[in-house]
C-alpha cells in the first residue's frame, strides 16, 4: 500500500514522475479547493502529476478541470462480481457465500457500499432486508453504537475535517467518556486515527461524515456550532495556526448575529493578508448575509469591501451590481469610483462614460 498521507497531500516519489494526491477529506473547505487549483496551475509545465478524485456529483472535479483544460478524466465504473466477492472475503474471512451473494446483488459494483452492507448485515444471511442505500447502511451502524459514541459522532460531524479529541471532550456532556467512545468508533471503522497527530481523528470516509451530519437536527446543530466556537476561543483543540477561520465558521453556522459578523470580518482580514481572496469573499458574503437579516446599518462598508474584492479576480458583473447598489444607498463617492473602474476594466466603456 502507499505511505500514509501527510496533512494535505499523499506524495508518491516513484518513477516515472512524482505524483500528488490531494487529501480529499479537506474538500469541504473552499480554501483547500482553491489551494489545489493553484498547485495545478503552478505545476502545469513541471514534471509532476496531480491526481484529484471526486464523486461524479461533486463540483470539485469540474473546478479543477477548468483550471487545467488538458487534464484527462478517468471515470471509474462498477466492479464485477468476482472483485466485490474478493473484497468482502478479505474484509471478513469466512463470510458465508449466501451473504456474499446478497451483498453483490445489492451493492451493484460499488466496493464501499459492499463493505458497508457487510458491516450492517445481521450475520445470518437470511431474511432481514439489507439497507437500500449507502447512507442507510452507515446509519444502521451508527445506531448500534453506544450512547457516548453517538454523542461523540454528533459533535465530530459538526466539527468536520481532522478533529482534535480535546475539542470533542470540551463540547460533549460532562458524563460522556470521550476516550472510550473514540476507541469504540475507531474499532467500528467510523473514525480513523490521524496520520500526523496522535491527539486527532477523522471520519473514515466522506460519506460516513455526510451520513452522521444528516442525522443532526438543525436546531441541535446550531447549539453545537456555538459550543464548538466557545471551546476554540478557550483554546481547546485549536489548530497550530490559530482558530480565527474556524471560530468564524462555527459562529456563522450558529446564526450568532453580531458575534458571527465580527468573527467573519476578522477571518476575512486574515484571508486577505494571506492572499486567499476566494476564502475572504466567502467570509464577506456570509457577513453581508447576516447583516441583511439584522438590518444593520454597518452593512454598506462590508458590501463595499466585498465588491472591491470581487473586482480583483475579475468577477466584474457581480462587483458592478454591488457598487451600483451602494451608489443608491449613500456611498456615492466610493461606489462610483469602484463602478467606473469595474466597467472600464471589463470593457464597458460606454457605461463607464455615463
Amino acid at each position: 500500500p502507499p505511505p500514509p498521507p501527510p496533512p494535505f497531500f499523499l506524495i508518491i516519489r516513484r518513477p516515472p514522475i512524482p505524483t500528488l494526491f490531494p487529501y480529499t477529506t479537506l474538500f469541504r473547505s473552499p480554501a483547500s479547493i482553491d489551494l489545489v487549483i493553484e498547485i495545478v496551475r503552478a505545476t502545469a509545465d513541471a514534471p509532476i502529476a496531480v491526481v484529484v478524485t471526486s464523486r461524479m456529483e461533486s463540483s470539485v472535479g469540474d473546478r479543477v478541470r477548468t483550471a487545467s483544460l488538458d487534464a484527462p478524466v478517468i471515470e471509474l465504473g462498477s466492479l464485477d462480481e468476482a472483485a466485490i466477492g474478493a473484497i468482502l472475503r478479505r474484509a471478513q474471512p469466512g463470510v458465508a457465500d449466501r451473504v456474499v451473494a446478497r451483498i453483490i446483488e445489492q451493492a451493484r459494483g460499488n466496493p464501499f457500499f459492499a463493505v458497508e452492507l457487510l458491516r450492517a448485515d445481521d450475520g445470518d444471511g437470511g431474511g432481514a432486508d439489507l439497507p437500500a442505500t449507502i447512507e442507510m447502511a452507515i446509519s444502521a451502524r451508527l445506531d448500534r453504537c453506544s450512547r457516548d459514541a453517538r454523542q461523540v459522532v454528533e459533535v465530530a460531524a459538526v466539527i468536520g475535517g481532522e478533529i482534535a479529541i480535546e475539542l470533542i471532550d470540551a463540547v460533549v456532556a460532562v458524563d460522556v467518556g470521550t476516550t472510550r467512545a473514540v476507541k469504540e468508533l475507531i474499532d467500528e471503522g467510523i473514525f480513523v486515527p490521524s496520520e500526523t497527530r496522535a491527539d486527532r481523528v477523522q471520519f473514515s470516509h466522506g460519506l460516513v461524515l455526510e451520513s452522521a451530519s444528516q442525522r443532526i437536527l438543525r436546531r441541535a446543530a446550531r447549539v453545537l456550532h456555538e459550543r464548538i466556537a466557545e471551546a476554540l476561543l478557550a483554546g481547546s483543540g485549536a489548530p497550530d495556526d490559530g482558530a480565527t477561520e474556524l471560530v468564524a465558521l462555527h459562529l456563522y453556522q450558529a446564526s450568532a448575529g453580531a458575534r458571527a459578523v465580527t468573527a467573519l470580518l476578522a477571518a476575512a482580514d486574515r484571508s486577505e493578508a494571506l492572499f486567499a481572496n476566494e476564502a475572504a469573499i466567502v467570509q464577506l458574503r456570509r457577513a453581508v448575509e447576516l447583516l441583511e437579516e439584522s438590518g444593520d446599518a454597518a452593512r454598506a462598508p462590508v458590501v463595499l469591501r466585498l465588491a472591491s474584492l470581487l473586482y480583483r479576480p475579475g468577477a466584474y458583473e457581480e462587483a458592478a451590481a454591488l457598487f451600483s447598489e451602494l451608489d443608491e444607498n449613500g456611498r456615492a463617492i466610493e461606489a462610483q469610483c469602484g463602478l467606473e473602474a469595474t466597467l472600464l476594466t471589463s470593457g464597458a466603456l460606454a457605461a463607464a462614460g455615463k
Side-chain angles (χ1 to χ4, degrees), residues 243-248 258-274 280 283-284 287 305:
T244 306
E245 292 87 350
L246 284 176
V247 169
R259 290 183 67 209
V261 171
T262 300
L264 286 164
L265 295 179
D269 289 341
R270 187 171 188 273
S271 295
E272 281 196 78
L274 296 172
Q283 289 148 355
L284 291 173
R305 182 177 172 187

Side-chain angles (χ1 to χ4, degrees), residues 20-245:
L20 303 180
F21 291 86
Y23 202 13
T24 52
T25 54
L26 297 178
F27 279 172
R28 288 170 58 131
S29 161
S32 298
I33 300 173
D34 291 340
L35 176 57
V36 172
I37 290 171
E38 286 304 311
I39 289 172
V40 168
R41 289 173 175 154
T43 59
D45 299 322
I48 296 174
V50 181
V51 179
V52 178
T53 62
S54 70
R55 299 176 70 186
M56 291 298 292
E57 62 270 28
S58 169
S59 64
V60 173
D62 291 337
R63 290 192 60 192
V64 173
R65 283 197 295 275
T66 300
S68 181
L69 298 178
D70 61 344
V73 179
I74 302 172
E75 293 188 9
L76 301 181
S78 302
L79 297 184
D80 60 26
E81 292 186 4
I84 294 292
I87 289 170
L88 293 172
R89 290 185 173 92
R90 184 173 59 192
Q92 186 178 308
V95 60
D97 290 342
R98 63 181 181 277
V99 174
V100 172
R102 291 180 68 214
I103 291 174
I104 287 174
E105 181 180 1
Q106 182 82 342
R108 298 182 293 279
N110 184 322
F112 180 72
F113 191 15
V115 173
E116 286 301 320
L117 288 172
L118 180 63
R119 288 169 167 165
D121 186 69
D122 59 14
D124 66 4
D129 291 336
L130 289 171
T133 65
I134 295 177
E135 290 78 10
M136 290 173 65
I138 296 169
S139 188
R141 273 208 299 142
L142 292 172
D143 286 339
R144 293 201 299 267
C145 292
S146 67
R147 180 189 70 91
D148 283 7
R150 290 198 301 273
Q151 285 197 39
V152 166
V153 163
E154 191 172 83
V155 172
V158 175
I159 297 170
E162 194 174 61
I163 308 149
I165 298 172
E166 177 189 7
L167 180 56
I168 297 175
D169 194 48
V171 176
V172 295
V174 292
D175 62 336
V176 170
T178 303
T179 302
R180 184 176 62 253
V182 168
K183 182 180 184 306
E184 175 187 341
L185 292 164
I186 291 173
D187 291 343
E188 290 293 327
I190 304 295
F191 285 171
V192 292
S194 166
E195 303 287 357
T196 57
R197 296 279 297 268
D199 60 345
R200 296 177 186 267
V201 293
Q202 62 191 53
F203 282 90
S204 58
H205 194 282
L207 285 175
V208 179
L209 171 56
E210 286 182 24
S211 298
S213 300
Q214 289 168 4
R215 293 160 59 95
I216 306 171
L217 296 176
R218 183 175 298 179
R219 182 180 301 174
R222 283 201 297 266
V223 172
L224 286 174
H225 277 297
E226 189 158 17
R227 285 163 59 184
I228 291 164
E230 297 290 354
L232 287 167
L233 287 168
S236 297
D240 294 336
D241 59 349
T244 306
E245 292 87 350

